[in-house]
């Protein structure tokens, strides 16, 4: 592989105009496609194989034209202090508002509070339910404006009016912190390279790659039903890996220049060595993201595939456009250490005038690695204990999906949620819909009544509406209001209790009872994600483990990489629980409401963090492997790997943390949580696992770290990540070097 990538790098360097033209053309094509594509429609959220989805599908079949997936709005009214909603003036205002809402072209129905029993017992709060023909993302702006105007007119009459439901849902905004994250990345690159030109190359290529990826997602959003969150996550991951992959290749290019090689040769060697690591690091990220399809939740699958596509683009750009841009930059990209030489430091190991000859000052990475290999056990224990302590909050992890109750108190949706809880109880915001399929029953009406009666006798039930049958009389819906909030454990227990009772009723009457609604959907999603976590972990870690065996030609190094990842992801989950569930530092993170951690957070973090963790493993340990196979002793190879790679890996980690942390400013709670989780996970993995635990373990293992059974060594393909095949080219093809043979043990 190294030889192929070497030739590719040299070709891109020579044919830089052609390569640049191709990528600019692709960016233009994607941009035109995004600009001319129809707006994204409804992002369908289905969970195949669950009872809630089965009931939802049955409703669409038995209640045709009911717009089961249409947007809803609850316009909530509260009377001024000392007044009631039943007072004549307030009642007239509400009825006028209802009439105005009913005039909308996309409105399917509006329920009057006074005829629909939607006034609280104390008479201070009432609500009008509005049902639309289309989903919230498909509503025209004029319809949303009409809804807000009607509410404002009621406010002008003296009432407190808020709007809940999904009719006013908006595309999430990431905020200015995203730009700050990119700015931090730029500063880190300038410090790392000491050159604006060299620092600008990774940023430029990353932005081009993300532009192509996100524009392609936007162009396909309507056809593939991709949600707005999909493009945000693709941008988040694409920016991070795009900058990092380019950073590693540019750094290796400068190191090759420092060895005295010509620029075209240096570009080829940078792509052949660091580019090989980029390919395998990118593969682990792609495997982790595409593997999300195992969960069998279409929305999550689409998010994973879209993000994986952006990562693949980042890899291709790093391998081709970076050497092309290096050709354009010419002498403006200096060899590694060139700036230091002007400041009195050596470039290639020469001592400063006040230092003894042959004893150059070791860099920070070398000094740290030397310390770790002298005290490996102490460093290992400290790192493991520290991550274990950070992971403790994860033992109280509670999962759920966000609803209006998790939104900031500044939003009208959250205020409507609170008003409804005040007037009708906490469970009113998460009613359960029970669907009774009596097609196989001899007495459907009796079956409906039996189900309603059985549910009324369950603990935790506040109200049960009379069964509402369809025109055929073979299916009915029953609305159940719990006495607990939607995301509580008590509501989940009630859902299971209704389902258990339904089994007994089916045995007696032949009628099947199904529980659905947004609350039941959330419960089923959480369960499905929990059930899929272990199979997903086995698949992704197993495939990446096999891949790393090929890369490192070792059993213990990939095993150590996987165990280190588990430590970092558990510690990151603990941090997420501490902030978003317990409320630690919630003000600093902009978390206005604590609650359960998003259900898909654990499995998403496992996928993404594993891929990113393997990035640092590949970049750092391949340098160690390269030194080892060229004859260095195991401990010295660890130090050499840190000498050449620690600064770059540190810069890459800081950049990735900055990019992820930039999304903490998003208005979407899911994006905010993922941004924080990934940023803290990169911190734990890069600075604790890869920088401390990895060298400590390798120092303890010694030669055993690179052990591989001879039969497996013969069976595995030699992908030559270390660039061994390039050594014959080192001096213009004059012959192999003495240390060309791989070290085998």
């Amino acid at each position: 592989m190294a030889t192929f990538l070497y030739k590719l790098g040299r070709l891109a360097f020579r044919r830089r105009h052609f390569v640049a033209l191709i990528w600019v053309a692709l960016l233009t094509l994607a941009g035109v496609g995004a600009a001319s594509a129809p707006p994204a429609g409804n992002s369908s959220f289905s969970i195949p194989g669950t009872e809630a989805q089965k009931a939802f599908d049955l409703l669409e079949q038995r209640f045709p034209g009911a717009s089961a997936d249409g947007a809803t709005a609850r316009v909530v009214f509260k009377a001024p202090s000392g007044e009631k909603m039943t007072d004549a003036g307030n009642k007239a205002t509400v009825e006028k508002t209802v009439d105005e809402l009913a005039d909308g072209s996309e409105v399917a129905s509006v329920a009057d509070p006074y005829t629909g029993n939607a006034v609280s017992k104390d008479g201070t709060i009432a609500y009008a339910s509005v049902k639309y023909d289309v989903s919230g993302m498909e509503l025209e702006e004029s319809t949303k404006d009409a809804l807000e105007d009607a509410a404002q007119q009621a406010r002008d009459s003296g009432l407190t009016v808020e709007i809940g439901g999904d009719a006013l849902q908006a595309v999430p905004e990431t905020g200015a912190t995203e730009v700050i994250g990119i700015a931090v990345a730029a500063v880190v690159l300038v410090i790392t390279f000491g050159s604006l030109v060299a620092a600008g190359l990774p940023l430029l290529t990353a932005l081009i790659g993300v532009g192509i990826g996100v524009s392609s997602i936007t162009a396909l959003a309507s056809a593939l039903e991709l949600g707005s969150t999909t493009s945000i996550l693709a941008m988040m991951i694409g920016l991070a890996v795009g900058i990092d992959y380019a950073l590693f290749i540019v750094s290796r290019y400068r190191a090759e220049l420092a060895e005295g090689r010509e620029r075209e040769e240096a570009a080829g060697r940078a792509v052949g060595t660091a580019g090989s690591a980029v390919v395998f690091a990118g593969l682990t990220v792609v495997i982790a993201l595409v593997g999300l399809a195992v969960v069998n939740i279409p929305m999550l699958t689409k998010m994973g595939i879209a993000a994986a596509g952006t990562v693949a683009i980042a890899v291709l750009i790093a391998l081709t456009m970076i050497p092309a841009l290096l050709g354009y930059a010419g002498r403006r990209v200096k060899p590694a250490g060139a700036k230091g030489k002007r400041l009195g430091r050596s470039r290639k190991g020469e001592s400063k005038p006040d230092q003894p000859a042959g004893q150059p000052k070791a860099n920070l990475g070398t000094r740290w690695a030397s310390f770790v290999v002298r005290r490996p056990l102490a460093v290992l224990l400290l790192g493991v204990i520290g991550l274990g302590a950070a992971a403790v909050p994860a033992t109280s992890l509670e999962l759920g999906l966000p609803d209006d109750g998790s939104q900031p108190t500044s939003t009208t949706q959250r205020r409507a949620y609170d008003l409804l809880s005040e007037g009708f109880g906490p469970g009113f915001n998460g009613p359960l819909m029970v669907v009774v399929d009596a097609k196989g029953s001899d007495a459907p009406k009796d079956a409906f009544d039996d189900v309603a009666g059985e549910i009324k006798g369950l603990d935790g039930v506040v109200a049960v509406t009379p069964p509402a049958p369809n025109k055929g009389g073979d299916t009915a819906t029953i609305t159940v209001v719990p006495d607990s909030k939607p995301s509580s454990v008590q509501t989940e227990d009630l859902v299971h209790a209704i389902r258990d009772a339904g089994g007994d009723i089916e045995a007696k009457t032949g009628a099947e009872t199904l529980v659905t609604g947004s609350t039941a959907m959330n419960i089923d999603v959480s369960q499905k994600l929990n059930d899929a976590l272990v199979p997903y972990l086995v698949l992704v870690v197993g495939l990446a483990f096999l891949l790393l065996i090929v890369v490192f030609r070792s059993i213990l190094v990939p095993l150590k990489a996987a165990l280190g990842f588990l430590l970092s992801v558990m510690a990151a989950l603990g941090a997420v629980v501490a902030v978003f569930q317990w409320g630690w530092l919630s003000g600093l993170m902009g978390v206005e409401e604590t609650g359960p951690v998003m259900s898909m957070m654990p499995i998403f973090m496992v996928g993404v963090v594993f891929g990113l963790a393997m990035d640092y493993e590949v970049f750092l340990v391949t340098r160690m492997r390269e030194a080892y196979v060229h004859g260095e002793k195991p401990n010295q190879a660890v130090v050499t790997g840190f000498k050449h790679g620690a600064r770059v890996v540190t810069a890459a980690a800081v950049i990735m943390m900055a990019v992820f942390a930039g999304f903490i400013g998003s208005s979407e709670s899911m994006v905010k949580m993922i941004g924080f989780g990934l940023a803290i996970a990169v911190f734990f993995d890069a600075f604790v696992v890869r920088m401390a635990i990895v060298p400590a373990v390798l120092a303890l293992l010694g030669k055993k770290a690179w052990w591989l059974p001879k039969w497996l060594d013969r069976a595995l393909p030699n992908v030559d990540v270390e660039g061994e095949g390039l050594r014959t080219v080192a001096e213009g093809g004059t012959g192999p070097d003495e240390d060309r043979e791989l070290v085998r043990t």
Side-chain angles (χ1 to χ4, degrees):
M1 173 177 286
T3 304
F4 169 76
L5 293 177
Y6 165 77
K7 294 177 180 177
L8 178 64
R10 293 193 63 169
L11 178 65
F13 188 95
R14 287 197 309 271
R15 307 294 185 188
R16 61 188 74 104
H17 303 307
F18 181 68
V19 172
L21 182 62
I22 288 177
W23 285 113
V24 170
L26 288 174
L27 178 62
T28 303
L29 185 64
V32 170
S36 59
N42 181 30
S43 178
S44 61
F45 185 77
S46 62
I47 42 175
T50 61
E51 180 173 314
Q53 186 64 44
K54 182 180 178 182
F56 187 82
D57 295 340
L58 185 66
L59 282 174
E60 290 192 324
Q61 177 186 345
R62 302 284 176 85
F63 291 81
S67 299
D69 61 345
T72 59
R74 276 179 172 172
V75 183
V76 188
F77 307 89
K78 183 175 183 180
S81 179
E83 299 182 16
K84 293 184 180 296
M85 291 305 305
T86 51
D87 293 348
N90 294 334
K91 186 175 181 180
T93 299
V94 172
E95 289 177 339
K96 180 182 178 183
T97 303
V98 169
D99 291 339
E100 290 177 354
L101 291 172
D103 290 338
S105 59
E106 295 180 309
V107 175
S109 63
V110 181
D112 189 307
Y114 303 102
T115 59
N117 194 27
V119 181
S120 63
K121 290 182 179 179
D122 62 4
T124 60
I125 297 174
Y127 69 91
S129 295
V130 186
K131 182 74 174 176
Y132 294 92
D133 293 321
V134 296
S135 68
M137 295 300 291
E138 294 174 312
L139 280 177
E140 295 180 0
E141 287 301 319
S142 59
T143 300
K144 296 180 180 182
D145 291 342
L147 176 61
E148 293 177 315
D149 290 344
Q152 186 58 49
Q153 289 179 20
R155 290 190 191 103
D156 294 340
S157 300
L159 299 177
T160 298
V161 186
E162 304 296 345
I163 304 171
D166 61 353
L168 293 182
Q169 65 177 329
V171 176
E173 299 174 354
T174 54
T177 50
E178 177 191 348
V179 179
I180 296 174
I182 297 176
V184 171
V187 171
V188 173
L189 288 169
V190 171
I191 294 173
T192 302
F193 291 139
S195 163
L196 289 174
V197 174
L201 296 183
L203 281 176
L204 177 61
T205 54
L207 290 173
I208 290 174
V210 167
I212 293 173
V214 173
S215 296
S216 299
I217 291 170
T218 304
L220 298 172
S222 178
L224 301 181
E225 296 183 347
L226 302 176
S228 56
T229 308
T230 303
S231 60
I232 292 178
L233 295 177
M235 181 189 302
M236 182 192 303
I237 296 171
L239 269 177
V241 300
I243 294 173
D244 277 8
Y245 293 166
L247 165 65
F248 282 106
I249 292 179
V250 173
S251 298
R252 188 59 183 255
Y253 171 77
R254 296 176 72 237
E256 296 292 337
L257 288 179
E259 294 295 327
R261 294 190 172 90
E262 294 296 327
R263 294 188 177 274
E264 181 179 329
E265 176 69 13
R269 286 184 165 275
V271 176
T273 51
S276 296
V278 165
V279 169
F280 282 99
L283 270 176
T284 59
V285 180
V286 169
I287 287 172
L289 291 170
V290 174
L292 291 171
V294 173
V295 186
N296 195 26
I297 295 180
M299 183 190 74
L300 195 59
T301 300
K302 293 172 183 177
M303 287 168 56
I305 292 175
T310 307
V311 171
I313 292 171
V315 171
L316 292 174
I317 282 187
L319 297 178
T320 57
M321 195 168 187
I322 281 293
L325 292 179
L326 289 172
Y328 283 119
R331 297 186 179 277
R332 287 186 290 273
V333 175
K334 305 294 183 182
K339 182 180 178 182
K341 187 178 182 182
R342 291 196 298 272
L343 297 176
R345 296 191 299 270
S346 70
R347 187 183 74 183
K348 296 175 63 177
E350 301 165 356
S351 60
K352 290 163 55 174
D354 58 344
Q355 287 179 322
Q359 295 184 12
K361 182 179 179 181
N363 63 21
L364 183 60
T366 302
R367 296 197 299 274
W368 169 249
S370 299
F371 169 78
V372 173
V373 298
R374 289 196 306 269
R375 306 274 195 280
L377 189 58
V379 172
L380 176 62
L381 290 176
L382 185 62
V384 171
I385 292 172
L387 290 179
V392 168
T395 58
S396 62
L397 175 67
E398 295 178 10
L399 298 176
L401 286 178
D403 55 18
D404 285 347
S406 63
Q407 294 207 35
T409 52
S410 58
T411 63
T412 185
Q413 291 93 334
R414 171 60 189 277
R415 292 196 293 265
Y417 180 98
D418 292 340
L419 285 176
L420 289 171
S421 296
E422 177 188 340
F424 301 92
F428 192 78
N429 282 293
L432 307 175
M433 178 177 287
V434 178
V435 182
V436 185
D437 181 7
K439 201 167 188 177
S441 175
D442 296 332
K445 188 175 185 306
D446 293 339
F448 300 154
D449 294 337
D450 287 345
V451 172
E454 190 75 24
I455 294 173
K456 286 179 182 177
L458 296 176
D459 294 335
V461 175
V462 171
V464 178
T465 64
N470 63 347
K471 291 182 179 179
D474 58 0
T475 308
T477 60
I478 301 171
T479 301
V480 180
V481 179
D483 65 0
S484 52
K485 63 181 183 179
S487 59
S488 67
V489 176
Q490 293 83 355
T491 301
E492 183 176 350
D493 292 340
L494 177 59
V495 170
H496 293 313
I498 295 173
R499 287 172 173 171
D500 292 340
D504 297 334
I505 294 173
E506 184 176 6
K508 291 187 296 185
T509 66
E512 184 180 13
T513 303
L514 305 169
V515 185
T516 188
S518 60
T519 302
M521 280 271 194
N522 291 351
I523 292 171
D524 286 352
V525 167
S526 298
Q527 187 61 50
K528 193 175 181 70
L529 289 165
N530 285 339
D531 293 343
L533 183 58
V534 173
Y536 174 71
L537 199 59
V538 170
L539 173 70
V540 172
V541 176
L543 287 175
F545 180 77
L546 295 175
L547 186 65
L548 292 179
I549 288 178
V550 175
V551 174
F552 296 128
R553 309 195 76 78
S554 163
I555 298 292
L556 296 179
V557 171
L559 180 61
K560 173 263 309 168
L563 294 177
F565 149 73
L566 291 176
L567 276 174
S568 58
V569 79
M570 288 303 298
L573 276 176
V576 169
V577 170
V579 173
F580 290 88
Q581 188 175 309
W582 291 1
W584 294 4
L585 301 177
S586 57
L588 181 63
M589 297 298 166
V591 180
E592 295 190 24
E593 184 70 22
T594 59
V597 172
M598 183 182 60
S599 297
M600 64 178 66
M601 190 68 188
I603 200 164
F604 190 83
M605 278 190 65
V606 164
V608 177
V609 174
F610 183 78
L612 300 179
M614 294 308 102
D615 279 4
Y616 300 118
E617 181 74 15
V618 170
F619 290 132
L620 193 59
V621 180
T622 48
R623 270 290 197 171
M624 301 177 191
R625 170 74 180 172
E626 185 176 344
Y628 178 70
V629 301
H630 292 155
E632 292 188 9
K633 293 181 179 180
N635 282 7
Q636 183 57 40
V638 171
V639 175
T640 300
F642 268 76
K643 174 184 177 182
H644 294 293
R647 183 181 184 185
V648 180
V649 169
T650 299
V654 172
I655 288 169
M656 196 170 279
M657 288 167 55
V659 172
F660 288 147
F663 289 84
I664 296 175
S666 173
S667 61
E668 178 71 29
S669 59
M670 182 174 75
V671 176
K672 180 190 292 288
M673 189 180 294
I674 289 176
F676 171 80
L678 294 183
I680 198 69
V682 168
F683 171 78
F684 287 142
D685 196 85
F687 294 105
V688 181
V689 175
R690 310 302 153 190
M691 290 291 183
I693 294 178
V694 165
V697 171
L698 290 177
L700 289 171
L701 291 175
K703 288 186 177 181
K704 295 177 182 177
W706 308 108
W707 171 79
L708 186 69
K710 291 183 179 180
W711 64 268
L712 185 56
D713 188 26
R714 290 191 298 268
L716 291 177
N718 184 9
V719 295
D720 190 21
V721 176
E722 301 87 9
E724 183 66 22
L726 302 182
R727 295 185 67 79
T728 54
V729 194
E731 303 297 336
T734 57
D737 295 330
E738 291 181 358
D739 60 352
R740 187 181 174 200
E741 294 296 318
L742 259 64
V743 176
R744 305 292 191 192
T745 55

